[in-house]
């Protein structure tokens, strides 16, 4: 079926700690995955992406891990800051070429305690 | 470098009226996507358009909803005879032919039906 889900609806972390947000997907044919950050009243903001031929990709303070065996995706945020507080969505792209038909998960709310 | 521009940001309509939401893609982008987000939920794909062509409308409700992306001007998402259940945030996204699958979102249009 079509589903991309997140394991926890809310994650609360202390400022400075590392955060790990998890995501499970169901379609083994998906070949491209994206993490978005959405602040209240705003649009999704691209964080990082990964293709299915990779299992890890790093950005600035963020790392995405992809485990195709168990169809699991995670976003790691190092040294979490108050500005990281938002809802985080994983999304998968099952299209070929340039189609942007993304399947979004329900989102995990990250709360950063000062 | 302007991002994806959407207007209006907020729109209030009475039941039975029409709502028109506009989207100008990022400069150089020729692919436009519309998504809907209900409160406390993830985004749901509605339609994918290129100039003067609807490529994939598999997420569009069968009635009252239509979308276009004319040769000149912004993409328009049109909702006729709105009902309370249409109240949601509508996001437009765009991508370019040379940007792989990276999809950038606008800030959204919040429709409230009263």
């Amino acid at each position: 079926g079509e589903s991309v889900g997140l394991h926890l609806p809310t994650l609360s972390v202390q400022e400075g700690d590392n955060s790990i947000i998890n995501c499970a997907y169901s379609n083994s044919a998906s070949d491209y995955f994206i993490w978005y950050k959405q602040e209240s009243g705003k649009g999704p903001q691209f964080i990082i992406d990964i293709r299915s031929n990779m299992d890890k990709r790093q950005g600035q303070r963020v790392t995405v891990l992809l485990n195709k065996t168990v169809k699991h995706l995670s976003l790691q945020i190092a040294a979490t800051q108050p500005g990281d507080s938002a809802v985080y969505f994983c999304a998968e792209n099952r299209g070929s070429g340039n189609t942007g038909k993304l399947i979004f998960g329900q989102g995990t709310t990250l709360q950063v305690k000062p | 470098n302007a991002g994806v521009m959407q207007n209006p940001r907020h729109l209030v309509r009475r039941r039975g009226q029409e709502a028109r939401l506009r989207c100008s893609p990022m400069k150089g982008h020729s692919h436009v996507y519309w998504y809907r987000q209900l409160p406390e939920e993830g985004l749901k794909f509605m339609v994918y358009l290129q100039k003067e062509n609807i490529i994939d409308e598999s997420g569009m409700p069968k009635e009252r909803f239509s979308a276009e992306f004319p040769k000149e001007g912004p993409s328009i998402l049109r909702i006729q005879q709105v009902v309370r259940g249409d109240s949601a945030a509508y996001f437009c996204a765009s991508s370019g032919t040379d940007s792989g699958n990276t999809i950038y979102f606008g800030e959204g249009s919040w429709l409230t039906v009263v």
Side-chain angles (χ1 to χ4, degrees):
Chain A
E2 292 192 349
S3 68
V4 177
L6 289 146
H7 290 313
L8 293 173
T10 303
L11 176 65
S12 186
V13 301
Q14 204 69 38
E15 181 179 356
D17 287 351
N18 296 333
S19 303
I20 300 177
I21 301 172
N22 295 304
C23 182
Y25 63 95
S26 61
N27 192 326
S28 56
S30 294
D31 59 2
Y32 179 61
F33 304 87
I34 313 153
W35 281 100
Y36 286 96
K37 172 187 179 184
Q38 187 177 27
E39 296 173 273
S40 180
K42 295 189 176 182
Q45 177 187 350
F46 174 88
I47 301 174
I48 192 168
D49 58 1
I50 189 168
R51 297 192 181 276
S52 58
N53 60 353
M54 304 171 68
D55 52 22
K56 180 178 180 179
R57 192 163 186 223
Q58 287 185 292
Q60 188 177 15
R61 281 201 308 120
V62 295
T63 301
V64 55
L65 299 176
L66 175 62
N67 186 330
K68 293 180 288 293
T69 302
V70 294
K71 296 199 282 287
H72 182 268
L73 192 68
S74 70
L75 176 70
Q76 300 178 0
I77 304 173
T80 313
Q81 302 168 0
D84 295 327
S85 294
V87 179
Y88 289 80
F89 292 96
C90 62
E92 63 182 299
N93 185 326
R94 302 172 188 172
S96 59
N98 202 19
T99 153
K101 186 175 181 179
L102 299 174
I103 308 296
F104 278 79
Q106 291 301 303
T108 291
T109 300
L110 177 63
Q111 297 175 341
V112 182
K113 296 177 286 187
Chain B
N1 184 20
V4 179
M5 304 300 291
Q6 291 188 245
N7 69 85
R9 290 296 315 280
H10 298 275
L11 183 63
V12 179
R13 284 288 178 265
R14 295 187 184 279
R15 282 177 293 171
Q17 291 184 318
E18 179 180 286
R20 282 187 182 229
L21 310 176
R22 288 176 290 278
C23 169
S24 295
M26 282 181 73
K27 187 176 181 180
H29 283 188
S30 58
H31 304 254
V32 166
Y33 316 87
W34 285 94
Y35 285 79
R36 177 166 62 177
Q37 186 177 33
L38 296 172
E40 308 298 322
E41 293 190 9
L43 283 74
K44 296 285 195 296
F45 169 82
M46 299 180 76
V47 63
Y48 163 37
L49 310 107
Q50 294 180 21
K51 285 285 186 182
E52 299 184 284
N53 278 307
I54 297 174
I55 308 301
D56 183 342
E57 57 181 345
S58 58
M60 288 281 269
K62 294 287 185 279
E63 297 176 345
R64 301 186 299 107
F65 284 72
S66 62
E68 62 176 2
F69 188 17
K71 187 176 180 181
E72 301 290 338
S75 175
I76 307 282
L77 179 67
R78 182 182 178 204
I79 311 172
Q80 295 177 287
Q81 299 174 317
V82 295
V83 300
R84 289 225 171 102
D86 297 332
S87 296
Y90 292 84
F91 290 97
C92 175
S94 73
S95 67
T97 56
D98 61 352
S99 60
N101 286 344
T102 304
I103 297 143
Y104 297 95
F105 282 83
E107 293 292 86
S109 290
W110 267 257
L111 172 65
T112 302
V113 180
V114 297

